[in-house]
Amino acid sequence: ERVLELARRLSRGEALGAEEEEGEEGCQRHREPLEAFCKEDGALLCAICRESRAHRGHTVLPLPEAARAFEEQIQAGLQTLKDDRDKLLELREAEMRRNW
């Protein structure tokens, strides 16, 4: 659920972290470009935020790598939902045939 919410927020251009909000200039706090993603906080980070005490001990990924990981998770979840939908449609069809 958290991954999907993050993906939705990213697609709408919403900020993920209070201090590291994305705007025209990047990081609102430091006005640096956002280049990393903190897995623990689910926040986009600039180089300065990435080195701060708040994120130093966290798992931080480059943006392309984080995006790829989220895309893989979303695709896997989507495939599971499609499979479940197909099973439900088959069950519905079988039930309708049985009722006829």
Side-chain angles (χ1 to χ4, degrees):
E1 287 180 37
R2 179 145 169 80
V3 170
L4 289 174
E5 179 59 26
L6 287 172
R8 282 188 202 109
R9 291 175 67 188
L10 282 172
S11 70
R12 291 191 305 251
E14 292 180 16
L16 296 178
E19 295 178 14
E20 297 86 14
E21 292 184 3
E22 183 178 3
E24 291 291 321
E25 306 83 28
C27 174
Q28 290 287 324
R29 190 173 192 188
H30 302 110
R31 302 288 188 234
E32 294 286 323
L34 300 172
E35 58 187 42
F37 178 77
C38 175
K39 288 179 76 173
E40 281 80 356
D41 295 333
L44 296 172
L45 307 173
C46 70
I48 297 169
C49 290
R50 183 185 69 224
E51 298 302 322
S52 71
R53 273 191 236 159
H55 300 285
R56 192 172 293 150
H58 294 174
T59 304
V60 177
L61 301 172
L63 281 183
E65 186 178 328
R68 220 175 6 262
F70 277 119
E71 184 177 354
E72 290 170 2
Q73 289 176 344
I74 290 169
Q75 290 299 328
L78 181 60
Q79 187 59 48
T80 300
L81 290 173
K82 286 179 179 179
D83 293 344
D84 289 347
R85 181 195 63 197
D86 291 343
K87 288 177 188 174
L88 287 172
L89 289 173
E90 287 175 17
L91 287 172
R92 185 179 93 182
E93 186 177 324
E95 187 65 25
M96 289 175 67
R97 275 188 266 133
R98 191 173 68 88
N99 287 335
W100 279 98

